[in-house]
């Protein structure tokens, strides 16, 4: 298991080295007041401690993505490890840090508002559609997946519809109540359960000497599906996920100081990458090869793999706790997905959110639509979620690239991953036979190269035009210091 252990070590070293470099490039300002104080409202803008914000951020971003995604990605073999490590350090954590910090500098603005400011009003409408679609799909997926896990845990003794109803009821409460009443109060404990369960499985792999395969670039997928571009849409959370760009503004509104940003945003993405590594490794090693893993996924979905891995590694009691940790993941991302959707709609239409009735007018239609979506096949939902997710990630990375370009800083830390994922997003939609155009793979690679080159060119033309203007990168908060 040398590859597995080295990859974990690289992720940790990446936080202390590349993470520090990204922080230095951005230039955090310790004395600049954050939105938690400047815009304090007792509902969404509430200052909370770094440990609490970090655990909440981890739970917000770590849905079933860093578990279900790596389980499916494990079918490709150890090449999945490479994408998790490289993607997490150089794309996903950079994406999360920049969206979180740029949001802090702009009154805790959500992604559509940031896109409008940095990429133009037309792109704001585009990202509003993608962000809301993504959040609805995330909320729905993160109702269905924990419900399946709970049903498996209870041997089907409670009807799936009842479990779904209970989860939706909790989501309604978490979406409507002030952020510090449920999310701020209980999530740190959920976060501890998540971390302990993931570490339990990881330590179990090492102690038992599980036969984790070493690094290989060979495609092990039983269905012979192409690694490029599918691996980037199979493993999203744990490597790069646009869903995170919809979640970081929730915590940018509760962060006390900019110097906490690397721990909260970059660091928690690294933690998610470690969780993804553990579940990918367990899936590759415990089911007699990729054929056995494929059969288990076909029979019971990723939820069945979670149950089997947890019980094999940790026994009945420890395994149950590990399963509960994985159940916590999607539930604590689903509720904040709906919360973020409510905030985005409220900001788009300028609806005040101080009164609970105002929140209800937005939240209830969201839950009705999501309930209807739970009737769609889970695999189809996951496919649409994955593409919408990576499109959103690409847009968020371009926001970060534009911010750094206009600030005359090293924008390449965002521009390179943004360009690469723009290419992959286009190739995927050209190639994908069921939801895309079904073009042959080689032709899709050529078409993707042409389209992405055009889009990158448009970015640089727009960036150079903006650089020559009196563009205001950060909101002015000097008045807060004077008055307080």
């Amino acid at each position: 298991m040398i590859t597995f252990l080295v990859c974990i070590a690289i992720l940790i070293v990446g936080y202390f080295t590349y993470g520090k470099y990204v922080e230095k490039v951005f230039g955090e300002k310790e004395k600049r007041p954050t939105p938690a104080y400047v815009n304090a409202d007792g509902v969404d803008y509430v200052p909370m401690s770094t440990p609490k914000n970090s655990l909440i951020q981890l739970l917000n971003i770590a849905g079933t993505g860093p578990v279900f995604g790596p389980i499916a990605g494990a079918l490709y073999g150890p090449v999945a490890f490479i994408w998790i490590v490289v993607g997490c350090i150089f794309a996903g954590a950079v994406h999360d840090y920049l969206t979180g910090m740029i949001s802090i500098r702009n009154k805790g603005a959500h992604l559509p508002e940031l896109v409008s400011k940095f990429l133009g009003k037309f792109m704001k409408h585009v990202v509003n559609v993608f962000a809301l679609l993504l959040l609805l799909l995330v909320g729905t997926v993160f109702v269905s997946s924990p419900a399946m896990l709970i049903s498996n845990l209870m041997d089907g003794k409670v009807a799936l519809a009842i479990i779904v109803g209970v989860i939706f009821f909790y989501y309604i409460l978490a979406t409507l109540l002030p952020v510090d009443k449920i999310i701020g109060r209980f999530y740190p404990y959920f976060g501890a359960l998540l971390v302990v369960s993931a570490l339990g499985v990881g330590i179990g792999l090492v102690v038992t000497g599980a036969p984790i395969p070493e690094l290989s670039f060979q495609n092990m997928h039983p269905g012979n599906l192409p690694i490029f571009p599918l691996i980037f849409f199979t493993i999203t959370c744990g490597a790069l996920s646009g869903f995170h760009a919809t979640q970081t503004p929730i915590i940018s509104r509760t962060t006390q100081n900019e110097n906490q940003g690397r721990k909260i945003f970059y660091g928690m993405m690294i933690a998610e990458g470690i969780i993804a590594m553990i579940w990918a490794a367990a899936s590759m090693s415990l089911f007699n090869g990729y054929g056995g893993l494929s059969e288990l996924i076909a029979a019971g979905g990723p939820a069945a793999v979670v149950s089997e891995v947890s019980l094999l590694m940790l026994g009945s009691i420890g395994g149950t706790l590990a399963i509960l940790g994985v159940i916590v993941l999607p539930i604590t991302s689903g509720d904040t997905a709906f919360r973020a959707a409510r905030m985005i709609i409220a900001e788009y239409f300028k609806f005040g959110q101080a009164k609970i009735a105002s929140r209800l007018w937005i939240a209830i239609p969201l839950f009705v639509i999501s309930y209807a979506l739970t009737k769609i096949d889970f695999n189809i939902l996951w496919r649409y979620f994955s593409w919408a997710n990576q499109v959103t990630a690409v847009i968020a990375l371009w926001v970060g690239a534009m911010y750094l370009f206009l600030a005359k800083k090293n924008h390449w830390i965002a521009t390179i991953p943004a360009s690469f994922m723009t290419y992959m997003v286009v190739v995927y939609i050209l190639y994908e036979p069921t939801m895309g155009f079904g073009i042959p793979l080689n032709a899709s690679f050529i078409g993707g190269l042409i389209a992405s080159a055009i889009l990158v060119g448009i970015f640089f033309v727009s960036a150079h035009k903006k650089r020559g203007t009196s563009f205001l990168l950060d909101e002015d908060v000097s008045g807060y210091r004077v008055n307080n």
Side-chain angles (χ1 to χ4, degrees):
M1 54 179 69
I2 294 172
T3 300
F4 171 68
L5 295 175
V6 168
C7 286
I8 296 290
I10 292 173
L11 283 168
I12 295 170
V13 170
Y15 167 75
F16 290 103
T17 55
Y18 197 69
K20 185 68 176 176
Y21 175 71
V22 170
E23 180 184 54
K24 184 179 179 180
V25 169
F26 183 81
E28 46 88 10
K29 299 176 181 178
E30 293 185 26
K31 294 184 179 180
R32 179 185 167 90
T34 62
Y37 299 102
V38 177
N39 305 99
D41 65 357
V43 179
D44 296 317
Y45 295 87
V46 180
M48 295 193 293
S49 68
T50 303
K52 188 175 284 190
N53 276 330
S54 296
L55 284 170
I56 294 170
Q57 172 72 2
L58 178 59
L59 286 166
N60 285 357
I61 64 175
T64 44
V67 179
F68 282 23
I71 286 171
L75 290 170
Y76 292 95
V79 70
F81 293 154
I82 300 173
W83 169 233
I84 292 172
V85 172
V86 175
C88 187
I89 294 172
F90 297 104
V94 173
H95 166 283
D96 290 14
Y97 179 79
L98 290 178
T99 51
M101 296 304 290
I102 295 170
S103 176
I104 286 176
R105 293 278 177 91
N106 288 274
K107 296 183 178 179
H110 272 280
L111 183 60
E113 294 302 313
L114 296 178
V115 169
S116 176
K117 179 173 181 176
F118 292 98
L119 301 182
K121 291 185 178 180
F122 171 75
M123 285 302 297
K124 174 185 177 179
H125 300 305
V126 172
V127 82
N128 258 310
V129 172
F130 270 103
L132 286 173
L133 172 64
L134 174 60
L135 289 167
L136 267 173
L137 290 171
V138 167
T140 306
V141 166
F142 293 171
V143 168
S144 302
S145 52
M148 288 188 290
L149 284 165
I150 294 170
S151 180
N152 287 346
L153 195 62
M154 301 178 73
D155 294 326
K157 293 178 181 176
V158 178
L160 196 62
I162 294 175
I163 299 172
V164 168
V166 171
I167 294 173
F168 264 123
F169 178 72
Y170 165 74
Y171 281 1
I172 291 169
L173 291 178
T175 302
L176 297 179
L177 293 176
V179 70
D180 59 338
K181 298 304 180 186
I182 289 183
I183 294 173
R185 185 169 297 176
F186 297 110
Y187 273 29
Y189 300 105
F190 292 159
L193 177 60
L194 159 63
V195 171
V196 169
S197 65
L199 286 176
V201 173
I203 292 169
L205 291 172
V206 176
V207 170
T208 59
I212 301 171
E214 300 298 354
L215 184 59
S216 166
F217 294 96
Q218 184 180 350
N219 187 354
M220 304 293 185
H221 201 292
N224 201 33
L225 296 179
I227 293 173
F228 293 92
L230 298 187
I231 191 73
F232 305 107
F233 298 86
T234 305
I235 302 176
T236 55
C237 299
L240 171 67
S241 170
F243 171 62
H244 299 187
T246 68
Q247 298 302 290
T248 48
I250 294 175
I251 301 303
S252 74
R253 299 180 178 197
T254 61
T255 301
Q256 296 170 318
N257 194 295
E258 284 193 9
N259 64 10
Q260 301 166 353
R262 182 163 64 99
K263 294 178 183 176
I264 296 170
F265 302 121
Y266 197 100
M268 292 305 101
M269 181 62 212
I270 294 295
E272 187 182 73
I274 293 172
I275 293 170
M277 279 292 303
I278 289 170
W279 283 102
S283 302
M284 289 180 205
S285 64
L286 298 178
F287 302 105
N288 299 315
Y290 304 100
L293 174 61
S294 180
E295 289 174 8
L296 184 57
I297 292 175
V305 178
V306 170
S307 299
E308 287 294 319
V309 167
S310 300
L311 294 173
L312 281 171
M313 286 290 96
L314 302 172
S316 57
I317 296 175
T320 300
L321 288 174
I323 294 168
L324 288 173
V326 177
I327 289 170
V328 163
L329 278 169
I331 291 178
T332 53
S333 292
D335 58 5
T336 50
F338 286 115
R339 188 180 190 89
R342 171 180 65 77
M343 289 178 181
I344 288 172
I345 292 171
E347 288 177 4
Y348 189 76
F349 292 104
K350 310 298 182 187
F351 291 154
Q353 295 292 279
K355 296 180 180 179
I356 197 166
S358 302
R359 288 172 245 161
L360 276 170
W361 281 113
I362 300 175
I364 288 176
L366 288 174
F367 287 118
V368 171
I369 295 169
S370 181
Y371 179 77
L373 288 174
T374 60
K375 306 302 179 183
I376 297 175
D377 179 74
F378 181 81
N379 290 323
I380 295 174
L381 272 177
W382 189 267
R383 198 174 301 151
Y384 279 97
F385 153 71
S386 294
W387 190 70
N389 192 25
Q390 297 306 62
V391 171
T392 307
V394 164
I395 295 171
L397 279 167
W398 282 121
V399 168
M402 181 66 81
Y403 182 96
L404 295 176
F405 186 94
L406 297 177
K408 298 183 178 179
K409 296 180 178 180
N410 181 13
H411 65 89
W412 294 108
I413 61 172
T415 302
I416 290 174
S419 300
F420 176 76
M421 285 307 298
T422 297
Y423 177 51
M424 286 295 110
V425 160
V426 177
V427 171
Y428 180 84
I429 201 64
L430 291 176
Y431 166 74
E432 227 288 328
T434 55
M435 60 176 283
F437 294 96
I439 297 172
L441 188 57
N442 287 336
S444 296
F445 282 133
I446 296 169
L449 189 62
I450 295 169
S452 57
I454 293 170
L455 292 171
V456 172
I458 291 171
F459 167 80
F460 277 107
V461 170
S462 174
H464 279 288
K465 285 182 179 179
K466 273 190 171 70
R467 187 181 265 183
T469 65
S470 56
F471 187 84
L472 186 65
L473 279 175
D474 306 322
E475 291 292 329
D476 183 10
V477 293
S478 58
Y480 178 81
R481 295 193 189 100
V482 174
N483 296 329
N484 294 274

